[in-house]
Amino acid sequence: MNVSSELITTIDLLRHGACEGGEIYRGSIDVALSSEGWQQMHAAVDRLGGWQRVVASPLIRCHKFAEQYADNTGLPLIADARFREIDFGQWEGREVKEVWQSEPDLIQAYYDDPASVTPPGGEAILHAQSRIVDGWEALLDNYTGERILLVIHSGVVRLLLAHLLKMPLKSISTLDVPYACVTRLKVFHNHEGNIPVLSSHNPLGFRD
């Protein structure tokens, strides 16, 4: 990619808002936003703007909002399955507290060392990170210099930040990514390649 040293791609990561069903492991399950979640996401984007396109996970808690926002603003919308949430296997659809009560050793091991432990029937964390990074690099290759709204999931945000900021995977659970969290990343393109910079993380966001 031959770009000048002044070229910058700005990508705002927007986590979906609160969902129906309470505090469960959603993962690959298609769960709709609650009315509160819709309000949270509208409030988040109303403070920002200036994007040239919207990219979203195909799961409805991300895609439905992205579709509505793109329609209202006349922006192009791309659904990219590489940005879907981690598949939690047999934990999906179960309350978080119930999984912690019934499988405390396994889930603690997963959070302590996610690269070595995978939920039963779930997706290996290294595989999830690889597909997310593939999606990210495709954005940079195809839309260099643009401002993009990327509507995704908390696990996707954590794994992407771990890759870009060179964080160990054992640290991803220490990243707070509340509902409707906005994380701004600027990527500077020069002769050294693509240089990502974390510009801000949840400066005006909502709490879980």
Side-chain angles (χ1 to χ4, degrees):
M1 183 168 52
N2 185 17
V3 294
S4 71
S5 59
E6 291 79 24
L7 199 55
I8 302 171
T9 303
T10 301
I11 302 181
D12 288 326
L13 315 179
L14 172 64
R15 185 197 174 187
H16 63 77
C19 297
E20 296 178 353
E23 295 307 309
I24 63 174
Y25 281 101
R26 295 181 183 88
S28 63
I29 298 175
D30 250 343
V31 179
L33 291 172
S34 65
S35 58
E36 179 187 14
W38 279 98
Q39 293 169 5
Q40 290 170 339
M41 295 184 78
H42 279 297
V45 297
D46 286 348
R47 298 164 176 165
L48 301 170
W51 300 295
Q52 293 166 273
R53 71 183 62 250
V54 183
V55 180
S57 160
L59 296 176
I60 59 174
R61 57 190 182 272
C62 295
H63 191 267
K64 286 294 185 183
F65 175 83
E67 183 177 46
Q68 183 190 88
Y69 184 80
D71 286 345
N72 290 342
T73 56
L75 295 176
L77 171 64
I78 300 165
D80 192 329
R82 289 172 291 191
F83 293 117
R84 68 188 184 277
E85 182 59 292
I86 303 163
D87 186 335
F88 292 107
Q90 295 177 18
W91 294 348
E92 294 195 353
R94 296 167 61 187
E95 290 188 353
V96 173
K97 64 180 180 180
E98 186 271 321
V99 176
W100 274 95
Q101 290 170 354
S102 63
E103 302 173 53
D105 293 339
L106 179 59
I107 197 166
Q108 187 63 61
Y110 178 66
Y111 281 92
D112 288 343
D113 190 6
S116 300
V117 180
T118 300
E123 181 180 20
I125 204 82
L126 291 174
H127 178 271
Q129 188 178 48
S130 178
R131 65 168 165 80
I132 292 163
V133 171
D134 283 347
W136 172 262
E137 292 178 347
L139 283 186
L140 296 182
D141 287 342
N142 294 328
Y143 309 114
T144 305
E146 291 192 8
R147 296 176 65 90
I148 301 167
L149 175 63
L150 179 56
V151 186
I152 48 177
H153 310 267
S154 60
V156 178
V157 174
R158 290 185 175 98
L159 288 177
L160 183 58
L161 289 179
H163 170 75
L164 297 176
L165 303 180
K166 298 179 172 58
M167 296 174 56
L169 287 174
K170 293 180 180 181
S171 299
I172 62 173
S173 62
T174 67
L175 288 171
D176 187 29
V177 187
Y179 291 132
C181 174
V182 178
T183 302
R184 174 163 292 181
L185 289 157
K186 293 185 177 181
V187 182
F188 295 81
H189 307 281
N190 58 38
H191 65 280
E192 296 179 355
N194 300 324
I195 312 300
V197 174
L198 177 62
S199 180
S200 62
H201 178 68
N202 199 36
L204 299 171
F206 295 88
R207 305 299 305 169
D208 281 334

